Amino acid sequence: FGSSFQLAKSNLYPSNTLILCRSRSTMAKVSAILSTLGAVAATGHSDFLSDLYSGKVSKNQVELVLAQHDEDVAWSEPLSSVRTVYCKGSQCSADAVQLSNVGREGHTFLHHIVNNYDSLANWTVFSQAQAPSEGYVNHRVGGGHLLSGITMNDYLAHHNDTEGKADSLFLMSSKVHMGTLRHALRSTYKVHEDQQTPKLSSASETCPKESGEDVWGAYHEVPQLKKLIAAKCGVEEQALGAAIRSFWEDLVQLPIPPQEVIHYSQGARFAVSRDRLRQRSKAYYQGLLNSISLEQDPCLSYLYEFSWYYITGASSTAPCTTSVEDATVISSPARYLQEGTSGVSGDGGDEGENPVAGTVRSSAMALSALVTAAALALSA
């Protein structure tokens, strides 16, 4: 092949798989891909993932659904045999399905569920298209929303690891109080560049333990996020809690969570089994899809990110237990996250930036109107 080629070999792939790289820059990209996905031998999923990366696992078994705008999806090329990319920008991958640029990743995920309801994979991993990496700092620095110690392979292999017993994988990085929008972050979720976070030992740890290093932090106010969502939803900030309760009752259609605390995975990455997705009807998902198909950056996209655990199925139990602080969050003194809204995705920008400066999208609809329209669609 000539001296310009270098040969790279990794335990991410079966022993007979070789990667040919033309340059050191390509080698660096390969190394980044391997780091992003997580080496097979190191994760304990080696047999299943060796089959997955060598193309022996079909899309009927596992499917990776990526919501792309213009992100580089090269990190997922080794998974091309089970990957479906939906693109809403101008820098789409060659195999991408083009969608209208509305509704952010919520529209993408619901589009996939509705249009594949009768042929869903046994296990579907939903993710934004950016390369998975630890935590999320802010819009300037970014981050791929993984909890420390977790790789994308944990999401891909979890159903197999549990011998099909797991109906989903949600690794909760945040909890939000419905009435006040106060947030608490998990200690294993990196929100500062120099932060040393404890690492999870397995993907079975949906929620922090009651003791140890992996714990919930204190609740804090996130004023920019609250202001942004209120503006997007067309409601006053003091009415936002009531509007979210209305959203929950009319669209999520489950009891209000204990202590009004919603647990969620920042960055909207999760995996769900076919059986769990089908706990809800196709008409239900169609109604949710209709309600988020009107604008590029709608109010409901933020509320859906809070709610995927509850929307994708009809679980009768909360994913995590509540605490004494959860019970007192309404009356507790306000505390504020340092560095603006670092660590909360969708926060609108860097520290000090007002996310609603200038004109809010003129097409923004009041949340009450969206809820009413979606509820009518669900009941049709």
Side-chain angles (χ1 to χ4, degrees):
F1 290 92
S3 59
S4 63
F5 282 88
Q6 297 181 32
L7 195 60
K9 186 175 180 179
S10 168
N11 61 358
L12 178 61
Y13 299 96
S15 58
N16 62 345
T17 303
L18 303 178
I19 304 171
L20 296 175
C21 305
R22 289 183 176 274
S23 65
R24 290 186 178 180
S25 63
T26 306
M27 286 287 288
K29 181 176 287 189
V30 169
S31 296
I33 290 173
L34 303 186
S35 175
T36 294
L37 293 170
V40 170
T43 62
H45 320 300
S46 56
D47 291 342
F48 172 77
L49 289 179
S50 291
D51 288 344
L52 178 65
Y53 286 107
S54 61
K56 296 178 182 178
V57 175
S58 71
K59 251 189 186 180
N60 183 59
Q61 296 171 274
V62 175
E63 185 167 14
L64 172 62
V65 173
L66 297 181
Q68 183 189 28
H69 185 253
D70 287 328
E71 301 92 339
D72 185 356
V73 297
W75 65 269
S76 65
E77 286 298 333
L79 296 163
S80 59
S81 63
V82 296
R83 182 186 70 178
T84 299
V85 181
Y86 296 99
C87 183
K88 297 181 178 180
S90 59
Q91 304 294 321
C92 300
S93 63
D95 60 342
V97 177
Q98 190 82 39
L99 295 180
S100 299
N101 189 18
V102 295
R104 298 176 60 150
E105 76 279 345
H107 172 273
T108 298
F109 297 165
L110 290 165
H111 171 90
H112 179 83
I113 294 170
V114 168
N115 286 274
N116 296 277
Y117 189 83
D118 296 323
S119 57
L120 290 164
N122 290 342
W123 185 251
T124 303
V125 180
F126 295 91
S127 179
Q128 296 176 0
Q130 74 230 51
S133 61
E134 283 190 349
Y136 184 86
V137 177
N138 54 36
H139 278 28
R140 176 177 54 82
V141 177
H145 299 286
L146 289 173
L147 294 179
S148 296
I150 297 299
T151 71
M152 197 62 167
N153 282 339
D154 291 302
Y155 287 89
L156 293 163
H158 189 65
H159 194 56
N160 177 80
D161 289 350
T162 61
E163 299 179 343
K165 295 176 182 177
D167 70 355
S168 63
L169 179 59
F170 286 83
L171 295 172
M172 303 305 183
S173 57
S174 306
K175 56 182 178 178
V176 56
H177 181 254
M178 189 178 290
T180 63
L181 240 65
R182 290 180 178 176
H183 272 71
L185 300 176
R186 192 169 179 172
S187 62
T188 46
Y189 189 66
K190 184 176 182 178
V191 297
H192 300 289
E193 292 181 85
D194 58 351
Q195 181 180 351
Q196 298 297 314
T197 55
K199 294 185 181 296
L200 294 184
S201 58
S202 78
S204 63
E205 300 170 43
T206 298
C207 308
K209 299 174 182 177
E210 294 183 2
S211 61
E213 293 184 303
D214 179 28
V215 296
W216 288 117
Y219 278 97
H220 291 83
E221 294 283 354
V222 192
Q224 287 180 294
L225 181 66
K226 189 173 183 178
K227 184 178 293 186
L228 172 66
I229 295 177
K232 292 290 184 185
C233 296
V235 299
E236 297 294 330
E237 286 187 46
Q238 59 266 33
L240 190 55
I244 293 175
R245 292 186 193 98
S246 178
F247 156 81
W248 200 270
E249 292 170 357
D250 291 339
L251 296 192
V252 180
Q253 298 182 0
L254 291 175
I256 297 292
Q259 312 297 344
E260 295 194 341
V261 172
I262 303 168
H263 296 88
Y264 75 103
S265 302
Q266 278 200 37
R269 179 180 296 109
F270 53 91
V272 191
S273 72
R274 176 192 312 168
D275 290 343
R276 179 181 170 112
L277 285 170
R278 288 182 179 168
Q279 291 173 9
R280 303 278 202 172
S281 69
K282 181 178 179 179
Y284 172 79
Y285 293 117
Q286 183 69 65
L288 298 182
L289 177 61
N290 292 345
S291 71
I292 205 171
S293 300
L294 304 174
E295 301 175 74
Q296 183 176 334
D297 187 22
C299 154
L300 287 179
S301 65
Y302 298 89
L303 304 189
Y304 285 177
E305 183 174 347
F306 294 160
S307 310
W308 286 118
Y309 172 85
Y310 309 89
I311 287 172
T312 54
S315 178
S316 59
T317 59
C320 307
T321 58
T322 53
S323 66
V324 172
E325 187 176 13
D326 292 323
T328 59
V329 65
I330 297 176
S331 57
S332 63
R335 289 174 290 199
Y336 294 85
L337 283 176
Q338 296 179 355
E339 298 189 15
T341 54
S342 294
V344 178
S345 60
D347 62 10
D350 300 332
E351 176 186 359
E353 179 185 349
N354 181 348
V356 291
T359 303
V360 177
R361 296 182 190 280
S362 59
S363 59
M365 297 177 66
L367 177 59
S368 58
L370 283 172
V371 167
T372 299
L376 288 173
L378 290 178
S379 61

